[in-house]
Amino acid sequence: MGIIKKMSSEGEYLYDPKLLNNLDWESIRGSLNPHITCTNPGEPWLLVRPLQLSDYSKGFLEILTQLTTVGNISYADFERQYQSMQKGGYYITVIEDTRTNTIIGAASLITEFKFIHGCGLRARLEDVVVNNTYRGKQLGKLIVLTVTLLARYLGCYKMTLDCKDHLIPFYKAIGYKLEPGNANSMTVRFDEVPKITSS
């Protein structure tokens, strides 16, 4: 199934889907067997594309619950967050089963402007999830490699992620590394996060 235009019958995309046509899949050819790409995901009913507002009703939030706590998010909350992300730096990519119009996988690429590395652009991989019932089709690798190649295409100087220990072999198999002396991740969590409303 080919890549779609900036607008579809479902509305506007979070980012320009034409970006997905420019990814260098040849550079990682050995990572997927059989070789699949975001424009040829292995089944005619699979579609890899940017997030859309209509994905609220296609199970996007439900798929995230397989990863972590999501909370009770209204459509208005979803739309407000989506519009904030549309301002730039957010590349949430989803996999849709077009037979059921259901989101079955997702990953987020978040970019950050830096002064270091010649005013470089840094990337982070977040919120990677594939529906349990679709595992075994390389969709986890496909969604991660899609956003990784997108980060490279956008000119990011590096892409990092945090993951649970048992997932380290998965990420190592597709090119991620634990850098000696720099393989720590530290966190501070806030019990209560104030809700900011726009005026």
Side-chain angles (χ1 to χ4, degrees):
M1 187 166 261
I3 290 296
I4 47 300
K5 299 174 190 156
K6 176 75 172 149
M7 294 288 288
S8 77
S9 60
E10 300 292 327
E12 192 168 328
Y13 294 97
L14 184 63
Y15 65 90
D16 187 347
K18 288 186 230 166
L19 290 172
L20 297 177
N21 286 329
N22 299 314
L23 306 184
D24 182 11
W25 287 96
E26 285 303 311
S27 67
I28 50 94
R29 180 166 272 283
S31 300
L32 294 156
N33 186 19
H35 186 67
I36 56 175
T37 70
C38 63
T39 56
N40 184 18
E43 299 286 356
W45 42 267
L46 289 175
L47 177 63
V48 179
R49 61 169 174 78
L51 183 71
Q52 292 180 281
L53 265 177
S54 60
D55 293 335
Y56 178 84
S57 61
K58 291 184 175 184
F60 175 68
L61 296 176
E62 288 78 4
I63 190 77
L64 292 179
T65 65
Q66 292 187 19
L67 182 65
T68 190
T69 302
V70 174
N72 186 16
I73 298 174
S74 70
Y75 182 79
D77 292 336
F78 185 81
E79 183 177 29
R80 185 170 36 258
Q81 194 80 326
Y82 181 93
Q83 289 171 347
S84 295
M85 291 177 173
Q86 267 189 317
K87 294 175 183 170
Y90 292 86
Y91 301 86
I92 300 174
T93 305
V94 298
I95 303 173
E96 180 181 355
D97 181 337
T98 60
R99 300 171 302 179
T100 59
N101 297 317
T102 305
I103 302 305
I104 62 164
S108 299
L109 159 61
I110 298 146
T111 59
E112 176 185 0
F113 289 104
K114 307 291 268 185
F115 285 108
I116 61 174
H117 295 280
C119 290
L121 191 63
R122 179 186 189 269
R124 285 196 50 80
L125 175 63
E126 298 278 350
D127 304 334
V128 176
V129 62
V130 172
N131 186 304
N132 295 328
T133 60
Y134 289 83
R135 297 204 174 138
K137 293 184 172 294
Q138 302 188 99
L139 299 182
K141 286 182 180 181
L142 176 64
I143 197 72
V144 170
L145 289 170
T146 296
V147 295
T148 302
L149 291 172
L150 180 56
R152 181 192 295 169
Y153 179 77
L154 293 171
C156 297
Y157 68 88
K158 77 174 177 180
M159 185 163 182
T160 59
L161 63 90
D162 295 322
C163 72
K164 294 185 175 10
D165 290 346
H166 73 276
L167 292 173
I168 291 172
F170 168 80
Y171 288 106
K172 279 185 169 181
I174 54 176
Y176 285 82
K177 298 174 188 158
L178 292 169
E179 293 182 340
N182 195 26
N184 296 312
S185 174
M186 299 180 77
T187 304
V188 61
R189 292 193 184 263
F190 304 104
D191 292 333
E192 293 184 32
V193 179
K195 183 130 181 153
I196 299 172
T197 57
S198 56
S199 46

PDB file of all heavy atoms in Angstrom, residues 10 24 26 38 50 55 72 88 94 107 130 135-136 147:
ATOM      1  N   GLU A  10      -9.651  11.194   6.021  1.00  0.00           N
ATOM      2  CA  GLU A  10      -9.687  11.197   7.483  1.00  0.00           C
ATOM      3  C   GLU A  10      -9.163  12.507   8.074  1.00  0.00           C
ATOM      4  O   GLU A  10      -9.187  12.689   9.267  1.00  0.00           O
ATOM      5  CB  GLU A  10      -8.838  10.038   8.020  1.00  0.00           C
ATOM      6  CG  GLU A  10      -9.314   8.681   7.574  1.00  0.00           C
ATOM      7  CD  GLU A  10     -10.646   8.307   8.183  1.00  0.00           C
ATOM      8  OE1 GLU A  10     -10.915   8.695   9.326  1.00  0.00           O
ATOM      9  OE2 GLU A  10     -11.419   7.613   7.500  1.00  0.00           O
ATOM     10  N   ASP A  24      15.960   5.739   3.746  1.00  0.00           N
ATOM     11  CA  ASP A  24      16.979   4.898   3.125  1.00  0.00           C
ATOM     12  C   ASP A  24      16.922   3.471   3.678  1.00  0.00           C
ATOM     13  O   ASP A  24      17.728   3.077   4.525  1.00  0.00           O
ATOM     14  CB  ASP A  24      18.354   5.523   3.354  1.00  0.00           C
ATOM     15  CG  ASP A  24      19.471   4.724   2.699  1.00  0.00           C
ATOM     16  OD1 ASP A  24      19.173   3.809   1.891  1.00  0.00           O
ATOM     17  OD2 ASP A  24      20.649   5.011   3.014  1.00  0.00           O
ATOM     18  N   GLU A  26      17.664   0.755   2.170  1.00  0.00           N
ATOM     19  CA  GLU A  26      18.807  -0.060   1.729  1.00  0.00           C
ATOM     20  C   GLU A  26      19.911  -0.067   2.778  1.00  0.00           C
ATOM     21  O   GLU A  26      20.647  -1.048   2.894  1.00  0.00           O
ATOM     22  CB  GLU A  26      19.338   0.446   0.386  1.00  0.00           C
ATOM     23  CG  GLU A  26      18.459   0.074  -0.789  1.00  0.00           C
ATOM     24  CD  GLU A  26      18.240  -1.436  -0.921  1.00  0.00           C
ATOM     25  OE1 GLU A  26      19.231  -2.202  -0.874  1.00  0.00           O
ATOM     26  OE2 GLU A  26      17.077  -1.853  -1.059  1.00  0.00           O
ATOM     27  N   CYS A  38       8.351   0.758   5.306  1.00  0.00           N
ATOM     28  CA  CYS A  38       7.125   1.450   5.684  1.00  0.00           C
ATOM     29  C   CYS A  38       6.174   1.603   4.501  1.00  0.00           C
ATOM     30  O   CYS A  38       4.963   1.738   4.695  1.00  0.00           O
ATOM     31  CB  CYS A  38       7.436   2.803   6.315  1.00  0.00           C
ATOM     32  SG  CYS A  38       8.257   3.988   5.253  1.00  0.00           S
ATOM     33  N   PRO A  50       1.692   8.722   9.376  1.00  0.00           N
ATOM     34  CA  PRO A  50       1.661   9.616  10.532  1.00  0.00           C
ATOM     35  C   PRO A  50       0.314   9.531  11.262  1.00  0.00           C
ATOM     36  O   PRO A  50      -0.711   9.175  10.676  1.00  0.00           O
ATOM     37  CB  PRO A  50       1.841  11.009   9.914  1.00  0.00           C
ATOM     38  CG  PRO A  50       2.437  10.767   8.569  1.00  0.00           C
ATOM     39  CD  PRO A  50       1.895   9.450   8.117  1.00  0.00           C
ATOM     40  N   ASP A  55      -7.493   9.032  14.611  1.00  0.00           N
ATOM     41  CA  ASP A  55      -6.972   7.841  15.279  1.00  0.00           C
ATOM     42  C   ASP A  55      -7.445   7.743  16.728  1.00  0.00           C
ATOM     43  O   ASP A  55      -7.324   6.692  17.354  1.00  0.00           O
ATOM     44  CB  ASP A  55      -5.444   7.799  15.203  1.00  0.00           C
ATOM     45  CG  ASP A  55      -4.961   7.588  13.779  1.00  0.00           C
ATOM     46  OD1 ASP A  55      -5.716   7.023  12.970  1.00  0.00           O
ATOM     47  OD2 ASP A  55      -3.832   8.014  13.469  1.00  0.00           O
ATOM     48  N   ASN A  72      -7.841   8.889  31.404  1.00  0.00           N
ATOM     49  CA  ASN A  72      -9.121   9.150  30.753  1.00  0.00           C
ATOM     50  C   ASN A  72      -8.987  10.417  29.907  1.00  0.00           C
ATOM     51  O   ASN A  72      -9.086  11.524  30.423  1.00  0.00           O
ATOM     52  CB  ASN A  72     -10.222   9.297  31.812  1.00  0.00           C
ATOM     53  CG  ASN A  72     -11.587   9.414  31.189  1.00  0.00           C
ATOM     54  OD1 ASN A  72     -11.771   9.104  30.008  1.00  0.00           O
ATOM     55  ND2 ASN A  72     -12.549   9.848  31.980  1.00  0.00           N
ATOM     56  N   GLY A  88       5.443  21.250  15.575  1.00  0.00           N
ATOM     57  CA  GLY A  88       6.765  20.791  15.146  1.00  0.00           C
ATOM     58  C   GLY A  88       7.490  19.964  16.168  1.00  0.00           C
ATOM     59  O   GLY A  88       7.285  20.109  17.368  1.00  0.00           O
ATOM     60  N   VAL A  94       2.182   5.524  13.078  1.00  0.00           N
ATOM     61  CA  VAL A  94       1.321   4.414  13.470  1.00  0.00           C
ATOM     62  C   VAL A  94       1.278   3.361  12.372  1.00  0.00           C
ATOM     63  O   VAL A  94       1.609   3.630  11.218  1.00  0.00           O
ATOM     64  CB  VAL A  94      -0.117   4.889  13.785  1.00  0.00           C
ATOM     65  CG1 VAL A  94      -0.122   5.868  14.955  1.00  0.00           C
ATOM     66  CG2 VAL A  94      -0.793   5.492  12.567  1.00  0.00           C
ATOM     67  N   ALA A 107       4.946   4.386  17.294  1.00  0.00           N
ATOM     68  CA  ALA A 107       6.219   4.826  17.870  1.00  0.00           C
ATOM     69  C   ALA A 107       6.301   6.336  17.705  1.00  0.00           C
ATOM     70  O   ALA A 107       5.784   6.893  16.735  1.00  0.00           O
ATOM     71  CB  ALA A 107       7.413   4.157  17.193  1.00  0.00           C
ATOM     72  N   VAL A 130       3.366  -2.476  19.835  1.00  0.00           N
ATOM     73  CA  VAL A 130       2.664  -3.232  18.792  1.00  0.00           C
ATOM     74  C   VAL A 130       1.646  -4.112  19.495  1.00  0.00           C
ATOM     75  O   VAL A 130       1.968  -4.762  20.507  1.00  0.00           O
ATOM     76  CB  VAL A 130       3.636  -4.083  17.950  1.00  0.00           C
ATOM     77  CG1 VAL A 130       2.875  -5.003  17.002  1.00  0.00           C
ATOM     78  CG2 VAL A 130       4.588  -3.192  17.159  1.00  0.00           C
ATOM     79  N   ARG A 135       1.978  -9.660  16.816  1.00  0.00           N
ATOM     80  CA  ARG A 135       3.413  -9.914  16.943  1.00  0.00           C
ATOM     81  C   ARG A 135       3.825 -11.072  16.057  1.00  0.00           C
ATOM     82  O   ARG A 135       3.012 -11.916  15.699  1.00  0.00           O
ATOM     83  CB  ARG A 135       3.760 -10.143  18.407  1.00  0.00           C
ATOM     84  CG  ARG A 135       3.454  -8.847  19.171  1.00  0.00           C
ATOM     85  CD  ARG A 135       4.205  -8.656  20.417  1.00  0.00           C
ATOM     86  NE  ARG A 135       3.897  -7.310  20.923  1.00  0.00           N
ATOM     87  CZ  ARG A 135       3.668  -7.035  22.171  1.00  0.00           C
ATOM     88  NH1 ARG A 135       3.727  -7.975  23.078  1.00  0.00           N
ATOM     89  NH2 ARG A 135       3.398  -5.800  22.534  1.00  0.00           N
ATOM     90  N   GLY A 136       5.088 -11.099  15.642  1.00  0.00           N
ATOM     91  CA  GLY A 136       5.595 -12.144  14.768  1.00  0.00           C
ATOM     92  C   GLY A 136       5.641 -11.727  13.311  1.00  0.00           C
ATOM     93  O   GLY A 136       6.054 -12.503  12.456  1.00  0.00           O
ATOM     94  N   VAL A 147      10.927   5.165  12.264  1.00  0.00           N
ATOM     95  CA  VAL A 147      11.204   6.454  12.910  1.00  0.00           C
ATOM     96  C   VAL A 147      12.699   6.698  13.058  1.00  0.00           C
ATOM     97  O   VAL A 147      13.144   7.853  13.051  1.00  0.00           O
ATOM     98  CB  VAL A 147      10.442   6.613  14.248  1.00  0.00           C
ATOM     99  CG1 VAL A 147       8.941   6.662  14.016  1.00  0.00           C
ATOM    100  CG2 VAL A 147      10.801   5.548  15.246  1.00  0.00           C
TER     101      VAL A 147
END
